[in-house]
Amino acid sequence: MPVNPPDTIDCARRFSFYLDRLLTTRPALAEQLAAELDQPLRRAQMERFADWAKADSPDALIPLLRQLRQAVMARLISRDLGGLADLDEVVGTISELADFAIEQALRVGRSHLAHYGEPIGDESGEVQELIVIAMGKLGGFELNVSSDIDLIFIYPESGETNGSRKLSNHEYFNKLGKEIIRIISEPTGDGLVFRVDMRLRPYGDSGPLVMGFAALENYLITQGREWERYAWIKARAVTGDADGLAQLARPFVYRKYLDYGAYGAMRELHSQIRREVARRDMADNIKLGPGGIREVEFIAQVFQLIRGGREKRLQLKSTRETLALIAELRLLEPEAVQELTEAYAFLRNLEHRLQYLDDQQTQTLPGDSASQAKIAESMGFADWAAFLDGLNRHRRHVTRHFEQVFLLPTEGAADHPLTPLWRDILDVEPTEALAELGFSDPQGVVRQLRGLAKGSRYQQLPVGNRKKFDTLIGPLIEVAANTPNPDATLSRILSLLEAISRRSAYLALLSEYPQTLHRLASIYSASSWVSGYLTHHPILLDELLDARVLYATPDWPQLTAELEQQLANCDRDIEAKMDVLRHFQHAQTFRLVSQDLAGMWTVEALSDELSQLADIVLDAALRHAWLDVPGRHRDVPKFAIAGYGRLGGKELGYASDLDIIFLYDDDHPDAPELYARLARRLSTWLTSATAAGGLYEIDLRLRPNGSSGLLVSTVAAFENYQRKEAWIWEHQALTRARFVAGDATIGEAFERIRHEVLTQQRDQALLRDEVTGMREKMFETHPPLDEDVKYARGGVVDVEFIVQYLILEHAHRLPELTANSGNIALLAVAAEAGLIDPKLADGAREAYRHYRRLQHMVRLRDAPLTEPSDGLIAHYELVRTLWQQVFGQEVRYA
């Protein structure tokens, strides 16, 4: 749509007394505005606005900056009210003006202090630069048009200037800071550029105007308050050492763990604001009042404080960018984020129109009818009443979402009915009450509760932690009582509660989200293994919050992309990358186990998912461990991982080891040493226990020559070994092997070698003796007892040996047997080819499924190891019959 500058400017003047006065007193500005209205006034034009190099003194710079501000305001007001500028342009342009003014004031301020020389650091001996930190909306590059700018002044090192008149660095930067403030904020006949607010600096008004890095770090560590964490989210270095500032401030703002304690701190800060709003009758303040701008900012920032340490993408400055990411991460429903984003844009646009009226720093709706009419029309409404309807709709949306995020479920509620039971546990005997709730051993429960109450860990809890702990006991007793095994469930939950008792963030999570208690009780009731896993990795409590995520079928491509993003965010921090891998593996394992307990997976399908998870982790670990190898000669290693056993056969369980070997194909002279180093590093990455726990146990003994062989082999050496030196049992192992991660070309070579080795023609009698002899050697360490479904004659191992023998014996004429499709599928292939009796094959397949389900139930659902049932013995007998048919000999037991 073509721009009509006179009409657009006249329209803007109707809605802005300030613009009308400005253009009346400065007709040249009006002409310039008309000529350039079709374009935003951004940084490049600010630099061309004057010959800034000649403005080398405060007296010369001060009027120029104010005239620039007038030009920026005239352009912004006209473009915004004329529908030519969006919110991004408005807040971006005014923020650019603030940055530009700060930089110019710093330049001239240093020139003004040139007689003191340059400030030199004691440690580095280098010239020191003032770091001007933008806080608040300027830090987020979303300043409003008549705003203060919140600044903090920091310098890196102590020392003194090198001029003829020496000053300490602190004195020098103090003078420089004052000069910057004067240049920007001193009122003149042309007004000012920005009011400068320094109250967010350490110690506020009572603190020094400038502070060194060391003093700032000490302050944040020892005295930094929760509201300052909120404020420092938006901290941005306009000048100076931005990286150094970020490294110093980031640990203060963002915790490594999920910090649900941020809810309480933000809630208290908001309550203080609400009380001040009520005291000063500020309900019409669209920033601080109910449903206002500040509440939208609080919603965005609480998720940053809680999760920003783990999810580095949340370490953003902009409110709207943060809201968009919150929707992407499904921390809030996309519909809720859309309402918040629309409300935020409406309120910010309204804020600007309020300030356009008379260039006043205000967020309060006007009381006079003339101004009300102007505001309503400038916002696109027919009258004030229609405008209020639109405004109140947005404010209601914000209030509703704010309360959903921040309202403490127990706030204002009476104590839980079972709270007195815990509170008086040392003085009363609640066995009757516990029995009525359904506990089978109420005296045992009382003993555990009393032991907990008298224990040193509980007695030494900080007051805040103890309060949260105490409020949780009653609800946890209640949810445990509603499970099939309340005694065991409560005992497991109390172990968790004791383990996390000093971690206020986890206690806060359970307090803030009481709906998680039911999911927690259900999981802890179902499985001691899962409850132990969660108690050992309490960070996974976060997974209980959203049932949609917890029970969603894994989208592995998306999850892989998210993992890669998280690893990339760690830069070169090896420990952080190892923790990311562990958090990812633990979270996906916990989701799968929760879905498993809910009956969503067969054992076979679950094993496929756990194997896919291992593949993803191995591939990521390989690529990033390579980046940690010094002297590497390639960006991407010609290196691969092959999986054997349960990993190779895609039959992983929750606690399975990974049987793997390492291969490379690279003729670089340093390749043997580099890839050996990579293999050692990769092993460390996979097996080391970090603060985030463990990852996988690995077994490398299936490599050529076993434990005495090289840690990593060339493809050629591996092929030569398999063809000329490998034992039959090693070829048996090769039947359940596959390329898992790394270089695809090496993976193809591995699969070719595997196929060619497995399809070799073998001496049948020798093969039979080797395989049966290997099976019988196991009796020494694993006697074939019927109680042990894995090693019993006719059990898991016998089915696997039958399949392996069939592959090695017949694959030369039936290559379909080399497909790594699992024992159940391969039994069907052998039956269809007439190698084994179809009925026996079907029975063996069903037996193998039954064995795996039994093994899984023992691990997952605490199924007892009882005397073998008639059904289990029948499965054994059928597999033994198949063994006799395949090997042509009686089943031996010793």
Side-chain angles (χ1 to χ4, degrees):
M1 170 174 145
V3 179
N4 186 327
D7 289 350
T8 301
I9 294 170
D10 287 345
C11 174
R13 292 176 79 157
R14 284 199 307 113
F15 297 126
S16 173
F17 304 127
Y18 165 75
L19 180 64
D20 188 51
R21 289 195 306 269
L22 179 62
L23 297 184
T24 299
T25 58
R26 292 194 58 194
L29 178 59
E31 293 178 10
Q32 182 183 13
L33 175 61
E36 300 177 349
L37 186 63
D38 60 329
Q39 295 295 325
L41 200 165
R42 305 309 291 260
R43 174 73 182 232
Q45 269 193 278
M46 295 177 197
E47 292 172 349
R48 294 194 301 269
F49 182 83
D51 188 346
W52 298 104
K54 290 183 178 178
D56 56 0
S57 69
D59 288 343
L61 179 63
I62 284 173
L64 285 179
L65 285 179
R66 280 144 186 79
Q67 291 162 21
L68 172 61
R69 196 252 180 188
Q70 291 172 350
V72 169
M73 287 292 289
R75 186 91 62 93
L76 271 184
I77 294 172
S78 300
R79 285 180 55 80
D80 189 6
L81 292 175
L84 304 176
D86 59 13
L87 180 58
D88 284 332
E89 179 182 328
V90 176
V91 299
T93 300
I94 204 71
S95 299
E96 284 177 343
L97 173 63
D99 281 12
F100 184 76
I102 291 167
E103 292 165 13
Q104 292 299 321
L106 174 61
R107 174 183 63 82
V108 170
R110 292 199 72 143
S111 176
H112 185 62
L113 300 176
H115 53 286
Y116 294 112
E118 297 281 10
I120 306 299
D122 276 342
E123 295 181 13
S124 65
E126 296 177 353
V127 175
Q128 301 296 289
E129 298 287 341
L130 180 67
I131 303 171
V132 179
I133 304 171
M135 305 290 282
K137 286 187 169 62
L138 178 56
F141 223 71
E142 50 194 16
L143 202 61
N144 63 58
V145 292
S146 296
S147 178
D148 293 352
I149 54 175
D150 296 294
L151 302 180
I152 296 176
F153 297 145
I154 302 295
Y155 59 92
E157 295 179 37
S158 298
E160 64 179 14
T161 60
N162 60 4
S164 57
R165 296 176 58 189
K166 294 186 182 299
L167 288 177
S168 70
N169 284 357
H170 182 84
E171 291 173 309
Y172 174 86
F173 286 118
N174 192 65
K175 288 180 179 292
L176 180 57
K178 288 180 178 179
E179 195 63 21
I180 290 171
I181 294 170
R182 186 178 75 84
I183 290 171
I184 293 174
S185 66
E186 183 175 77
T188 71
D190 292 319
L192 47 75
V193 191
F194 293 98
R195 291 169 293 272
V196 177
D197 190 335
M198 301 295 297
R199 290 175 296 177
L200 289 179
R201 69 186 189 268
Y203 306 106
D205 285 339
S206 63
L209 184 67
V210 297
M211 182 176 279
F213 260 17
L216 174 63
E217 183 175 30
N218 180 68
Y219 174 84
L220 295 178
I221 292 172
T222 62
Q223 300 186 56
R225 291 159 288 182
E226 284 295 325
W227 71 262
E228 288 178 290
R229 288 182 61 207
Y230 154 77
W232 276 81
I233 286 176
K234 290 185 178 295
R236 174 174 64 88
V238 178
T239 67
D241 185 3
D243 290 339
L245 173 71
Q247 291 174 15
L248 186 149
R250 189 179 293 120
F252 169 66
V253 179
Y254 298 108
R255 307 296 194 240
K256 287 186 177 181
Y257 50 83
L258 293 165
D259 186 14
Y260 285 94
Y263 274 122
M266 296 284 277
R267 189 184 290 115
E268 175 56 29
L269 179 58
H270 180 261
S271 296
Q272 293 173 13
I273 294 171
R274 280 276 177 93
R275 289 193 293 270
E276 184 67 8
V277 167
R279 185 181 69 80
R280 296 169 57 187
D281 192 20
M282 297 169 63
D284 283 342
N285 187 300
I286 63 165
K287 176 182 178 181
L288 302 178
I293 294 167
R294 182 58 54 84
E295 289 187 356
V296 181
E297 293 171 341
F298 271 30
I299 290 170
Q301 287 166 327
V302 77
F303 286 108
Q304 291 181 284
L305 287 179
I306 290 170
R307 297 175 177 274
R310 284 273 309 280
E311 180 56 77
K312 289 184 171 55
R313 286 185 293 169
L314 280 167
Q315 295 180 12
L316 298 168
K317 309 299 184 187
S318 163
T319 298
R320 286 190 293 167
E321 288 179 9
T322 302
L323 287 172
L325 185 55
I326 286 170
E328 180 185 330
L329 297 173
R330 298 297 295 240
L331 302 178
L332 284 176
E333 288 291 338
E335 295 80 7
V337 172
Q338 182 176 349
E339 288 185 349
L340 288 168
T341 304
E342 290 174 355
Y344 183 77
F346 182 94
L347 292 167
R348 292 302 309 273
N349 284 325
L350 172 58
E351 176 184 40
H352 292 147
R353 279 147 182 78
L354 293 172
Q355 295 174 353
Y356 291 155
L357 279 175
D358 219 3
D359 193 21
Q360 295 295 311
Q361 185 191 12
T362 181
Q363 287 92 11
T364 301
L365 298 177
D368 64 287
S369 58
S371 296
Q372 289 176 349
K374 288 181 183 295
I375 292 298
E377 187 179 353
S378 68
M379 288 293 292
F381 292 90
D383 53 38
W384 185 248
F387 160 75
L388 287 179
D389 286 343
L391 170 62
N392 290 333
R393 177 173 60 84
H394 285 299
R395 293 180 77 166
R396 284 194 299 271
H397 288 164
V398 173
T399 297
R400 183 177 78 254
H401 294 307
F402 183 88
E403 290 180 347
Q404 287 173 347
V405 170
F406 280 97
L407 182 65
L408 183 62
T410 57
E411 199 165 41
D415 284 346
H416 189 277
L418 294 176
T419 294
L421 185 152
W422 165 248
R423 186 182 59 222
D424 303 329
I425 192 66
L426 298 179
D427 303 316
V428 299
E429 188 68 30
T431 51
E432 184 175 340
L434 291 168
E436 290 177 0
L437 286 169
F439 289 92
S440 58
D441 181 15
Q443 291 182 338
V445 174
V446 170
R447 283 194 299 272
Q448 185 171 12
L449 289 172
R450 285 177 175 167
L452 185 61
K454 291 188 290 188
S456 60
R457 178 172 293 192
Y458 174 77
Q459 292 291 331
Q460 295 170 10
L461 284 181
V463 173
N465 288 37
R466 185 184 290 200
K467 184 178 179 181
K468 291 186 181 74
F469 190 101
D470 291 344
T471 60
L472 285 168
I473 294 288
L476 287 171
I477 292 174
E478 180 184 32
V479 295
N482 290 320
T483 63
N485 51 339
D487 299 70
T489 302
L490 181 60
S491 178
R492 296 167 186 170
I493 289 177
L494 291 177
S495 296
L496 166 69
L497 204 60
E498 190 170 20
I500 65 173
S501 60
R502 300 195 68 84
R503 303 289 293 275
S504 60
Y506 296 138
L507 296 176
L509 183 154
L510 296 176
S511 299
E512 297 282 352
Y513 293 93
Q515 70 270 24
T516 61
L517 302 184
H518 295 279
R519 294 187 194 125
L520 183 68
S522 175
I523 289 172
Y524 271 55
S525 171
S527 172
S528 61
W529 181 83
V530 180
S531 65
Y533 190 79
L534 185 52
T535 299
H536 190 61
H537 304 294
I539 197 169
L540 297 175
L541 287 169
D542 179 64
E543 297 293 328
L544 297 172
L545 297 184
D546 192 339
R548 297 163 307 171
V549 175
L550 185 63
Y551 297 111
T553 301
D555 182 342
W556 291 119
Q558 179 182 341
L559 290 169
T560 302
E562 291 175 2
L563 172 62
E564 187 57 35
Q565 179 65 56
Q566 292 172 8
L567 288 167
N569 288 340
C570 296
D571 297 323
R572 299 191 61 81
D573 188 335
I574 302 306
E575 183 179 352
K577 288 185 176 183
M578 292 172 70
D579 283 348
V580 163
L581 287 170
R582 282 152 179 76
H583 289 314
F584 176 82
Q585 195 264 358
H586 297 160
Q588 303 315 315
T589 299
F590 184 68
R591 291 180 188 180
L592 288 170
V593 79
S594 298
Q595 295 167 19
D596 189 7
L597 289 169
M600 293 173 58
W601 296 105
T602 64
V603 174
E604 293 82 4
L606 176 69
S607 293
D608 286 344
E609 299 298 315
L610 290 170
S611 300
Q612 178 73 31
L613 172 59
D615 291 359
I616 291 169
V617 171
L618 287 169
D619 185 68
L622 165 57
R623 286 184 289 104
H624 286 271
W626 175 246
L627 299 178
D628 186 40
V629 174
R632 65 183 187 279
H633 60 295
R634 308 171 52 89
D635 291 335
V636 179
K638 298 192 71 172
F639 182 98
I641 302 173
Y644 281 69
R646 292 196 176 279
L647 175 63
K650 294 187 178 181
E651 294 184 347
L652 278 187
Y654 291 118
S656 298
D657 293 352
L658 303 184
D659 293 299
I660 55 178
I661 66 168
F662 302 133
L663 301 173
Y664 74 95
D665 188 15
D666 191 333
D667 57 6
H668 190 278
D670 296 334
E673 175 56 31
L674 287 170
Y675 291 125
R677 198 177 298 163
L678 171 60
R680 290 192 294 271
R681 271 177 167 70
L682 183 56
S683 299
T684 299
W685 277 48
L686 294 172
T687 61
S688 295
T690 73
L695 194 54
Y696 289 108
E697 292 298 322
I698 63 172
D699 191 332
L700 301 171
R701 290 175 295 177
L702 288 174
R703 66 186 187 270
N705 294 307
S707 299
S708 62
L710 295 173
L711 193 59
V712 58
S713 301
T714 64
V715 171
F718 174 77
E719 180 171 8
N720 182 71
Y721 180 83
Q722 290 293 336
R723 291 184 183 279
K724 298 179 180 179
E725 300 180 51
W727 298 80
I728 288 295
W729 69 264
E730 290 177 286
H731 288 175
Q732 281 184 254
L734 202 59
T735 64
R736 289 211 302 174
R738 63 186 176 91
F739 164 66
V740 168
D743 185 276
T745 302
I746 299 177
E748 291 170 1
F750 175 82
E751 296 296 344
R752 173 187 59 78
I753 295 165
R754 174 181 177 274
H755 179 81
E756 292 174 359
V757 169
L758 294 182
T759 54
Q760 290 175 357
Q761 191 165 355
R762 294 173 173 83
D763 181 284
Q764 181 179 9
L766 177 61
L767 176 64
R768 182 187 62 234
D769 291 344
E770 287 281 352
V771 173
T772 56
M774 178 60 63
R775 176 68 182 96
E776 289 163 11
K777 286 181 181 178
M778 293 183 177
F779 297 163
E780 298 175 10
T781 53
H782 300 287
L785 305 175
D786 286 349
E787 292 80 7
D788 188 343
V789 70
K790 181 175 182 179
Y791 292 103
R793 292 317 313 254
V796 170
V797 172
D798 280 356
V799 175
E800 293 173 348
F801 268 54
I802 288 170
V803 173
Q804 291 162 11
Y805 173 79
L806 291 172
I807 294 170
L808 296 178
E809 170 59 21
H810 300 287
H812 68 280
R813 60 185 179 85
L814 188 64
E816 293 93 324
L817 284 171
T818 64
N820 198 335
S821 52
N823 292 305
I824 293 173
L826 291 174
L827 284 168
V829 171
E832 289 172 8
L835 303 181
I836 54 177
D837 181 271
K839 289 185 178 180
L840 288 176
D842 287 343
R845 294 169 70 198
E846 184 54 41
Y848 192 70
R849 286 194 186 94
H850 182 67
Y851 300 156
R852 291 192 63 195
R853 283 195 295 269
L854 285 178
Q855 289 178 312
H856 191 64
M857 293 291 282
V858 168
R859 161 67 71 180
L860 181 65
R861 294 184 179 269
D862 307 328
L865 288 170
T866 58
E867 291 295 318
S869 66
D870 291 342
L872 180 60
I873 294 299
H875 283 307
Y876 286 162
E877 290 295 339
L878 186 144
V879 173
R880 291 167 186 165
T881 301
L882 179 60
W883 179 281
Q884 289 176 314
Q885 182 191 85
V886 168
F887 290 102
Q889 60 181 228
E890 293 293 324
V891 175
R892 298 177 185 170
Y893 294 85

